[in-house]
Amino acid sequence: MSPIVYAIPVFLLSVLIEALIVSRVRKGAYDLADALGSLNFGVMSQLAGAGTKLLSFGIYVAVYHFARMATWPETSLAVGIVALVFYDFCYYWAHRMGHEVAVLWAAHVVHHSSEYFNLSTALRQTSTGALFGWIFYMPMAILGVSPTLFLIVGLIDLLYQYWVHTELIGRLGWLDRVLVTPSNHRVHHGQNDYCLDRNYGGILILWDRLFGTFVDERAEERILYGVRTPLRAYNPIWGNLHVYADLWRSSVQAHGIKSKLAVWLGPPGGGGKAPAPWDRNAFTRFGAKSSKGVRFYVVAQYAIGNLALVAFLIQAGVMSGVEALAWGALIAVGLLTQGVLLEGAAWARPAETARLVLVGVALAVAPRVMGSALAVPWRVTLILVAGLSLTVLWRLQSTPTTTPETVGLAR
Ligand SMILES: [Zn+2]
Ligand SMILES: [Zn+2]
């Protein structure tokens, strides 16, 4: 079972507490739709990870077994610390290449697609990272870090990075120069000129100082978060695929194999061309066009979806491949319809209706629910929840009651 299951309640509670504090301190600094969008990306990435991690971790295990040059003992704390530093070093390069190579950026862009910066942004994770991410950790397998130790240090490195996604913690003195901290990670998420391609570290910012990619946060220049070619959507499926789609289009248009390859393996944004000068005054933040009622409906569906995700992750081991695919897809469709509801798309309500009917039918006729022979009273309760959701959905105001929050932020 994914250890992330245990972290989910901690994540959600801390996101909630931070949201309450931030909204009191600075109005407009927290956006419910954006945070929900981030959380949806997180759920999507866990769903995808349940399948793809098996592939990338499988490669690690195979390389460790057949090609390792040494064997590290697992029981010593010192060895564990060295392995963590080793992982962090590989992470630095995986992350840096994620920004410098177009096809890797296509996966990593998800994490940068929010124009806000808070704990929910940390959960905005890619669903396609397992495609190529494993390559950067092969030195660990070859040098003999056991798969178990690799998993443990990988989890520590990932969980460490959660707390650095906040504007609530200011400068931390010398720590900002040794560890990845909120201050230097804010820079990493900025689209200001001075922030681009800086501060890639996972736990240690020392790598950036060593390899020349470190820059200190500037108090006099407000950071505008996000990327210069913005997603402007809450749809987590499109959010995971849009850069791949751009690359595909560009590579079809490119002439000759060399230029086609350069599209995928060159720097993001079609390399060679001088980037357009950036005008911070032209930046407007993307905002939801959905009504308040729709947002709260999505919050409720998110809560239900999260329980479904936890059940999915717990049951992943006992479900057959077909069951996992079917139930995983059903949860994913919910993320999609919630995303388009937030965007205020015209087709969102019919799509959500179809999803709720599908969920009801699945609960009524599936021989097993996520690998378990769920008792009839449970099934009936869940079908009633879907029915109630449908009733609420059709009573929601269809016209937006809030204006898009395209706030000019330049100061
Ligand atoms: Zn990044
Ligand atoms: Zn980040």
Side-chain angles (χ1 to χ4, degrees):
M1 185 173 71
S2 166
I4 295 292
V5 170
Y6 299 105
I8 288 175
V10 181
F11 287 155
L12 294 183
L13 195 66
S14 51
V15 163
L16 194 69
I17 293 170
E18 190 203 26
L20 291 174
I21 297 174
V22 171
S23 339
R24 274 172 174 260
V25 176
R26 212 172 69 219
K27 222 176 152 40
Y30 211 99
D31 182 62
L32 182 66
D34 169 79
L36 281 168
S38 293
L39 297 174
N40 275 347
F41 274 110
V43 175
M44 184 69 86
S45 133
Q46 282 300 310
L47 280 177
T52 55
K53 287 236 169 67
L54 221 60
L55 171 86
S56 56
F57 184 59
I59 298 173
Y60 188 94
V61 174
V63 171
Y64 174 80
H65 276 293
F66 298 113
R68 74 174 183 273
M69 293 158 58
T71 305
W72 293 29
E74 272 181 11
T75 43
S76 137
L77 180 65
V79 170
I81 291 170
V82 175
L84 181 60
V85 173
F86 192 2
Y87 184 97
D88 202 50
F89 170 78
C90 296
Y91 175 86
Y92 169 86
W93 285 104
H95 189 189
R96 182 166 170 178
M97 291 302 115
H99 281 259
E100 294 182 357
V101 177
V103 67
L104 303 178
W105 172 244
H108 183 59
V109 67
V110 171
H111 183 61
H112 289 274
S113 58
S114 171
E115 293 172 344
Y116 292 79
F117 187 77
N118 51 57
L119 291 175
S120 77
T121 317
L123 304 175
R124 195 177 269 253
Q125 295 284 335
T126 180
S127 298
T128 60
L131 271 181
F132 302 108
W134 55 271
I135 294 170
F136 297 92
Y137 301 95
M138 283 303 109
M140 297 185 74
I142 292 168
L143 289 179
V145 178
S146 78
T148 315
L149 191 53
F150 170 75
L151 278 186
I152 293 171
V153 293
L155 189 66
I156 293 173
D157 212 280
L158 180 73
L159 291 179
Y160 173 85
Q161 293 174 43
Y162 179 64
W163 78 283
V164 304
H165 293 84
T166 184
E167 287 190 287
L168 289 180
I169 298 172
R171 301 291 300 243
L172 295 174
W174 62 271
L175 273 179
D176 290 330
R177 314 202 119 246
V178 179
L179 295 176
V180 174
T181 57
S183 169
N184 55 43
H185 199 64
R186 283 194 283 272
V187 170
H188 180 66
H189 278 257
Q191 54 172 298
N192 306 39
D193 284 323
Y194 91 90
C195 298
L196 292 183
D197 301 333
R198 291 286 177 263
N199 299 1
Y200 295 115
I203 294 180
L204 293 171
I205 201 71
L206 290 173
W207 306 121
D208 289 282
R209 297 182 66 195
L210 193 65
F211 299 116
T213 49
F214 175 74
V215 73
D216 226 354
E217 188 179 25
R218 295 179 185 167
E220 70 283 3
E221 187 179 328
R222 179 172 178 178
I223 295 177
L224 301 181
Y225 299 106
V227 289
R228 292 185 181 181
T229 319
L231 170 63
R232 303 190 81 80
Y234 297 113
N235 174 340
I237 293 179
W238 180 238
N240 269 294
L241 299 179
H242 69 118
V243 174
Y244 290 106
D246 288 346
L247 291 177
W248 176 258
R249 271 194 297 269
S250 303
S251 69
V252 167
Q253 283 163 8
H255 296 291
I257 189 81
K258 216 169 153 193
S259 357
K260 283 184 194 298
L261 273 177
V263 169
W264 296 93
L265 301 176
K273 281 178 275 167
W278 184 62
D279 176 13
R280 63 179 292 124
N281 297 308
F283 173 76
T284 51
R285 230 175 202 172
F286 176 65
K289 293 180 189 69
S290 47
S291 68
K292 239 186 188 144
V294 167
R295 293 185 196 200
F296 283 105
Y297 173 83
V298 174
V299 170
Q301 292 304 318
Y302 178 77
I304 298 169
N306 234 287
L307 293 175
L309 172 75
V310 169
F312 181 88
L313 293 177
I314 291 173
Q315 294 289 99
V318 297
M319 276 187 276
S320 71
V322 174
E323 279 180 315
L325 219 65
W327 291 105
L330 209 51
I331 300 176
V333 169
L335 302 176
L336 170 69
T337 54
Q338 285 166 31
V340 291
L341 272 170
L342 288 174
E343 286 170 20
W347 58 283
R349 191 153 26 182
E352 173 69 353
T353 303
R355 177 189 78 96
L356 290 169
V357 171
L358 202 65
V359 168
V361 172
L363 286 166
V365 303
R368 303 203 304 170
V369 175
M370 287 196 204
S372 124
L374 202 62
V376 173
W378 275 108
R379 286 191 188 233
V380 172
T381 311
L382 292 175
I383 292 170
L384 285 177
V385 170
L388 183 68
S389 302
L390 197 58
T391 319
V392 172
L393 177 74
W394 281 94
R395 290 181 70 92
L396 288 173
Q397 221 170 1
S398 58
T399 46
T401 53
T402 49
T403 48
E405 289 172 65
T406 44
V407 193
L409 288 167
R411 268 206 261 126

